[in-house]
Amino acid sequence: MNINEKRLFLLDMDGTIYLGNKLFSTTFNFLEQVRKNGGKFLFLTNNSSKSVKQYVQKLAEMGIFTQEDDFVTSTQVMARKLRKKYNSQKLYALGTAAFRDELLSFGLNITNKPEKDVVCLVMGFDTELTFQKLEDACVLLANGVDYIAANPDLTCPTEWGSVPDCGSVSAMLANTTGREPLFIGKPNPEMVLAAIGKTGFTKNETVMVGDRLYTDIACGIAAGIDTILVLSGETKIDMVQQSIHKPGGIYADVGEIAREIKK
């Protein structure tokens, strides 16, 4: 893979350009080198706990100024699929207030009550999780409603370690109910394909950059584009040898990618 032939950089966020609320020191230079090389970047995140507006604000507080169109999120891709399949039918949203608001912005019929006319349980990464929500989910799943989740990530990285993400909560519900969700976010290739579709770049001009093998790298491979693994987040080098998902390139962080572009 020739990094200088790439024009569209699809960037994971947590563990790739920042960790928790701390921006990596190499991120600014990387983004600048992509621009100087005539490239464009979009942020692709599985983290469904925040709305796009909140991500715009978060990056602005870090000194990176973006627009809502610079993001493709698992919540957005999920909402479009839900709108096509369920139209005005009632959906129970297990997630943060921001997750529910984002779904509502797509015109979906969202509730946070396990009402009898609910047809689908929709789950995101819930940093506001309560036992009541888990109980509601068990009731609905026992009643046979459809079950869709935004992302399969087991953990979400923080400055001090990791916290349980959507995949871990879905595993807990599977242990209780025997039900598994349909996951929409990475490694499902739809986020990558949506990003390419909105920019006009080709697959050969596109590269997925992320810190997770089973979501970021697997997603890029499934979409038919080149991939770069950065070791600034979850994945350590010995994990690559054990994984079936092999990245096209491995870098310590995005700063090392920037130096390669600059050459």
Side-chain angles (χ1 to χ4, degrees), residues 25 67 73 80 94 116 126 133 143 239 254:
S25 60
Q67 301 177 349
T73 72
R80 293 188 184 103
L94 195 168
K116 291 183 178 180
D126 193 356
K133 291 180 182 180
N143 289 340
M239 297 167 66
V254 292

Side-chain angles (χ1 to χ4, degrees), residues 209-223:
V209 182
D211 71 304
R212 282 189 171 155
L213 293 164
Y214 69 93
T215 55
D216 303 318
I217 303 307
C219 180
I221 293 170

Side-chain angles (χ1 to χ4, degrees), residues 72-86:
V72 177
T73 72
S74 59
T75 307
Q76 290 175 324
V77 175
M78 169 190 274
R80 293 188 184 103
K81 291 182 72 70
L82 292 173
R83 190 170 57 185
K84 286 181 180 179
K85 183 171 183 178
Y86 297 105

Side-chain angles (χ1 to χ4, degrees), residues 23-150:
L23 187 74
F24 292 136
S25 60
T26 56
T27 297
F28 281 119
N29 184 47
F30 166 70
L31 298 179
E32 184 61 23
Q33 288 301 324
V34 171
R35 291 192 187 100
K36 284 183 178 179
N37 202 40
K40 178 181 177 60
F41 49 83
L42 291 178
F43 300 104
L44 269 66
T45 180
N46 264 2
N47 190 328
S48 49
S49 66
K50 291 181 173 62
S51 66
V52 172
K53 288 182 179 179
Q54 288 176 320
Y55 278 120
V56 170
Q57 181 180 351
K58 178 172 182 171
L59 290 188
E61 290 170 353
M62 295 178 173
I64 299 174
F65 299 100
T66 60
Q67 301 177 349
E68 292 187 25
D69 202 43
D70 294 326
F71 296 82
V72 177
T73 72
S74 59
T75 307
Q76 290 175 324
V77 175
M78 169 190 274
R80 293 188 184 103
K81 291 182 72 70
L82 292 173
R83 190 170 57 185
K84 286 181 180 179
K85 183 171 183 178
Y86 297 105
N87 196 8
S88 61
Q89 293 177 286
K90 190 172 290 185
L91 314 172
Y92 179 99
L94 195 168
T96 61
F99 175 69
R100 293 195 301 273
D101 288 344
E102 196 87 332
L103 295 176
L104 286 167
S105 72
F106 280 81
L108 295 167
N109 184 2
I110 299 299
T111 182
N112 60 356
K113 305 289 185 184
E115 298 162 332
K116 291 183 178 180
D117 54 345
V118 168
V119 297
C120 182
L121 168 63
V122 182
M123 186 168 71
F125 171 35
D126 193 356
T127 56
E128 301 159 6
L129 184 64
T130 65
F131 191 83
Q132 185 61 60
K133 291 180 182 180
L134 294 174
E135 187 174 300
D136 290 348
C138 290
V139 169
L140 291 169
L141 293 176
N143 289 340
V145 303
D146 292 347
Y147 183 20
I148 299 176

